[in-house]
Amino acid sequence: MNPLRTINFILLFWCFVTLAPSVFAQQTGSAEQEVPPELAALGADSYAAKGEAIQALVASGHPRTRTWLTALLDGKLQRLEDSGRFVIVTENRGRDWTVIDAVDDAPLGEVSRRNIDRITINNALRNQLRSAMAILDLDAPSERERLASADRLLGEVDANLAEPLAARLEAEESPAVREKLAQALAIHRLQSGDSEAISDAIDTLSGSLNPAVRAALNGVAAGEGDAAEAAQQALASIEQKLKLNRAAETLYFGLSLGSVLVLAAIGLAITFGVMGVINMAHGELIMLGAYTTWMMQQLLPGQPGLALILSIPAGFLVAVFAGIIIERSVIRFLKGRPLETLLATFGVSLILQQLVRTLISPLNRTVVTPEWMSGSLVINEALSLTLNRLYVLGFALVVFAGIMLVMRKTRLGLEVRAVTQNRAMARSMGIRATRVDIMTFALGSGVAGLAGVALSQLTNVGPNLGQSYIIDSFMVVVFGGVGNLWGTLVAGMSLGVINQVIEPWAGAVLAKIIVLVFIILFIQKRPRGLFPQKGRAAEG
Amino acid sequence: MHWLAKPATERSTQVFIGVLTAALVAVCLLNLLLPAGHPLHVSTYMVTLLGKYLCYALLAVAVDLVWGYLGILSLGHGAFFALGGYAMGMYLMRQIGDRGTYGHPVLPDFMVFLNWESLPWYWHGFDMAWFAFLMVLLAPGLLALVFGFLAFRSRVTGVYLSIITQALTFALMLAFFRNEMGFGGNNGLTDFKELLGFPLSADSTRLGLFVASGVALGLGYWLCRAIVSSKLGRVCVASRDAEARTRFLGYRVDRVQLFVFVISAMIAGVAGALYVPQVGIINPSEFSPLFSIEIVVWVALGGRATLYGAVIGAILVNYAKTVFTGVMPDAWLFALGGLFVVATVVLPQGLAGLLAKFKRTGPAASAKEVKEATA
């Protein structure tokens, strides 16, 4: 017997016999183990004794309680066969397992698995452990963690847990956690059989949107008597609330899709609506914006957030630059020939697509979503809004407001409107129409670039990104009425919502077809869109 | 029938029909008489390829009829082409009978695969050739009639109409991609065996289809020529150049537009129907907006409002496509894109306009019309 083991043995012996380990406090280290009595008790032989030990451990408030209970539940709390030392197995693959000391986490290296004994538990103990840990979590300092653990307790409360939970409820300060705990207890009371307690519980539960609550209420509602009726009523009101929430969710998704459409279409509304230029390469300008985001993230590895923010001006500039090239090299030669402009810019779009395929890759590129944009905003149990869509929605509105400001309040906007209404007259007033053309086209292209930056957060970035939006964006502009930015906003948002409303019962593809057919029919009825231009501008 | 015979007196039609006939006869002779190793021998593969080009040329003539003479830029003519193709494809599918992979006597393979119990109602009748051939005309014709009626009555023209036609073909593409539609979904219709009892894999059938495409092109060209040189054609050109003025003169512009649009759609349908047995497959990609807009560039390159320009453009562009996709596939979209730009910016009157410039006779007048019309 080596001396170390002897010491260990003696130490453990002392622990068990004297139950006064503090005497050795100064001497313990990784070499020796001083076992607190609460932990030692877990090593008892009978399951009943272990159950009592768990209760005692929870009651003791020992700082490592949670670690031990978790390890015990996972079957990782074990003892070395020879020394009886309590260890936690961290790696249990292969012949030799890596273990750490259960008391102070000191690494003990690898031990042959034959020399370790697991502290066994049965199903009853497992349940007890889970509830015990749930209660423990309710002591967590942050309200968020307490709420999460209270949430986990819904439908899991049993007779053992009810009492400590009720005590916990008294002590709880946060109203949100209190509500959750009350619901958890109420679900338990539903099964109690005492009619008063049941009707009380139903009162507590009505209005909750949690699926566990609904399941419990469904159980009661299936029965007979007053309680069942009350439960049915509660369920009906819950159903009502759920419907509202679902409607809100559809609306949110619709607005989100709408915001994407508005972003994609607003640049088009400027070039097509204001200038009368059909830019079929608009989708590819969006694509360039998206690829700019990707490029920025490649240039700034590990900082996706910063890269994304920098891509907003970068995407704008790249698209503006591309737009100016397109305007100067193609569009200016086709003034007043809209159909030819359409064809030529379509050619440009093919070239740009192929350029990306050749220079970068025909495959999709992934753009990382920064941390502050992922996750979702939880409104209640039935409704949570994904953050990236929320940001894009906000971004779309900001861009729209910006464009409105430029068009209404700046000199450029004034000149653009003048040239749109009467080119010859505007020129004779000293406005340089050619320069205005370039600026307008550049602005429209830049907005397409911004749309691309936003879209990179929602969809795959690939050479076909633009193509998939071009028809939709044209539909939005045509539906809203050419030359009317408000029309574009209203049309984009309403098409998005209509699409989302139809989608659940028609499927995504059919919904799209229905929307397209709807617009085709709508245009027959109102050829100038929702908000037609009035007066002289309409003639042009 | 005076107006139908009128093209016979036109020099351009005489030349066109003459060249077409000569080409057809030459290809047939070179294919049949020369041995396979001879340098001038035209292989059956080449015959089928040429047949495909002729179908495209007919399609281009149909587009030129509405774009060149009516001023309606349809970005959805591929839809009519594909509908005609699907009608033919359905007939060919029914002709397979129990020779399919699953050996079902009535249901096509893909329906057996999708566990369909019986033939959907719209597949009935396609086992009869006359019905299928009628549908080749009626399916695109009806779509054009309904769509055109709604559009022209509301005076939807210009860019609006172009975009709506594009949306139309896009919507149809999405619809035909769905398996539930009963048109074979993604894969479309394929594995055809025979047409009117002639096996499609036989060389003689392929040559026959080539000749049929050539004859169809000749007839289609003739019909379009007859329409544009009739009084109706004058009204077409008038409504293209000054729609409101023509309306004020008392012509029902919408009816003229509808009539010509439907005729054009039917011609496109015939082109599709002849195309399908030659390539052996029809799938929803024919509905893609890209294909429809490609047709327009054939016409634009060849020369708008000349009809023969459309034929030249279609054959040239598709020949280039065959060459490019064989030699360097990546460059094709660059070339096509460049073609769009060149055809509109540098050659607004197309190759036909270039020809006319050298000759200073014939089509110059109509080419000039185009330039003015587009302003």
Side-chain angles (χ1 to χ4, degrees), chain A residues 336-389:
Chain A
R337 289 157 63 193
L339 297 181
E340 271 87 346
T341 316
L342 190 158
L343 289 177
T345 48
F346 188 81
V348 173
S349 86
L350 289 182
I351 294 174
L352 284 176
Q353 270 178 41
Q354 191 58 37
L355 208 62
V356 168
R357 272 194 207 107
T358 314
L359 291 184
I360 299 177
S361 161
L363 302 175
N364 283 344
R365 299 278 134 195
T366 5
V367 171
V368 184
T369 306
E371 218 158 280
W372 43 268
M373 266 185 84
S374 44
S376 51
L377 184 70
V378 179
I379 305 282
N380 59 36
E381 272 127 323
L383 181 63
S384 56
L385 311 178
T386 40
L387 273 182
N388 56 351
R389 291 187 172 270

Side-chain angles (χ1 to χ4, degrees), chain A residues 339, chain B residues 65-73 158 236 240 304:
Chain A
L339 297 181
Chain B
L65 180 64
V66 286
W67 187 32
Y69 293 91
L70 213 49
I72 296 171
L73 176 56
C236 285
R240 174 193 77 186
R304 246 179 95 187

